[in-house]
Amino acid sequence: MTIAPDAGTTAAPVPTQSRYQNRVADYWNAEENPVNLELGRIDDLYHHHYGIGEADRSVLEEADPARRRERITAELHRLEHAQAELLAGHLGPLSPADRVFDAGCGRGGGSVVAHLRHGCQADGVTISAKQAAFAAEQARKRGIDGQVRYHHRNMLDTGFETGAYAASWNNESTMYVELELLFAEHARLLRRGGRYVVITGCYNDAYGRASREVSLINAHYICDIHPRSEYFRAMARNRLVPVHVQDLTADAIPYWELRRQADHLVTGIEDTFLTAYRDGSFQYLLIVADRV
Ligand code: GPP
Ligand code: MG
């Protein structure tokens, strides 16, 4: 195909992974934030998402400094775990024979939560070889590597079997990909009547374009947060019909208020999230959809 007058240039072959994807993989291959590793170490459930629900702020009053750090860490982990359980609870009735797909699985916590809750078989994919290896080792140590598997693959092009999955999800990973391509892959993998769940941060396009805070979050994680409308447009075009939508923004604020005071865990993005959530320009959303 010619898209411009030939100026004597030769077309470069399309790389298997784009420059952008390479940079994202680099970020996650190098990432060792205490806020992820210290929380995960508590019960070997490593999450890469935020928390929801009321926080027990009495942990901040703890007099002993070491104990205070420990209690804050445990409380943040409890809130992140609550978020993972909320998502897993929407995957629908599942049996041990059912397969689920975790798109952008990070260090693997979400697939383990889904497996422990439903007994289902899980396939998690991440663009980071390091995360995939870490997650696989966790599953092996738990003795669930026969049911929960992790793959170093692209969530847009998994190569997994068409129609083989009863449920699938993205937990804070949609901002790394084009939604049309992502939902096409979920629709391909899910069987008819299968369930798709996403928890995401999105900008509120009732306010117009993305705010400065959203741009700061994008730069921090090398991602590209989508407007809320794009989720519904791309789902409608890809056989995913929303059955439940929940605005979790207010539920997300206590986590960030506590995290900003956790000196041993902060990454510097805490106040940006709080400003974005409070001014209404940014929303933390759960969408549950049926694959029709
Ligand atoms: C990472 O979680 C989450 C993202 C990269 C997605 C951005 C999320 C939005 C809602 C916009 P993490 O647990 O690795 O991040 P952190 O290191 O900050 O805890
Ligand atoms: Mg985290």
Side-chain angles (χ1 to χ4, degrees), residues 1 3 6 8-19:
M1 180 179 70
I3 55 171
D6 185 350
T9 55
T10 48
V14 175
T16 48
Q17 193 164 286
S18 69
R19 270 178 88 86

Side-chain angles (χ1 to χ4, degrees), residues 49-50 52 79-87 171 199 284:
H49 52 75
Y50 314 124
I52 51 165
L79 299 176
E80 290 190 3
H81 189 75
Q83 194 267 30
E85 287 286 356
L86 176 75
L87 190 156
N171 198 346
I199 295 184
Y284 198 46

Side-chain angles (χ1 to χ4, degrees), residues 31 33 35-37 39 47-50 80 172 221 255 259:
E31 187 276 327
N33 292 338
V35 74
N36 299 319
L37 294 176
L39 271 63
H47 298 300
H48 280 283
H49 52 75
Y50 314 124
E80 290 190 3
E172 293 184 19
Y221 292 105
Y255 168 86
R259 177 165 155 168

Side-chain angles (χ1 to χ4, degrees), residues 125-180:
V125 306
T126 165
I127 201 170
S128 156
K130 191 112 171 268
Q131 285 187 327
F134 184 100
E137 176 60 10
Q138 291 299 316
R140 194 193 59 75
K141 279 196 204 151
R142 266 180 199 272
I144 57 171
D145 47 328
Q147 290 94 22
V148 178
R149 287 167 295 267
Y150 298 96
H151 312 262
H152 174 213
R153 292 191 194 193
N154 185 333
M155 67 171 102
L156 300 180
D157 189 13
T158 61
F160 295 154
E161 191 186 340
T162 299
Y165 292 83
S168 66
W169 71 89
N170 287 89
N171 198 346
E172 293 184 19
S173 51
T174 47
M175 54 288 292
Y176 288 104
V177 294
E178 299 91 323
L179 295 183
E180 285 278 351

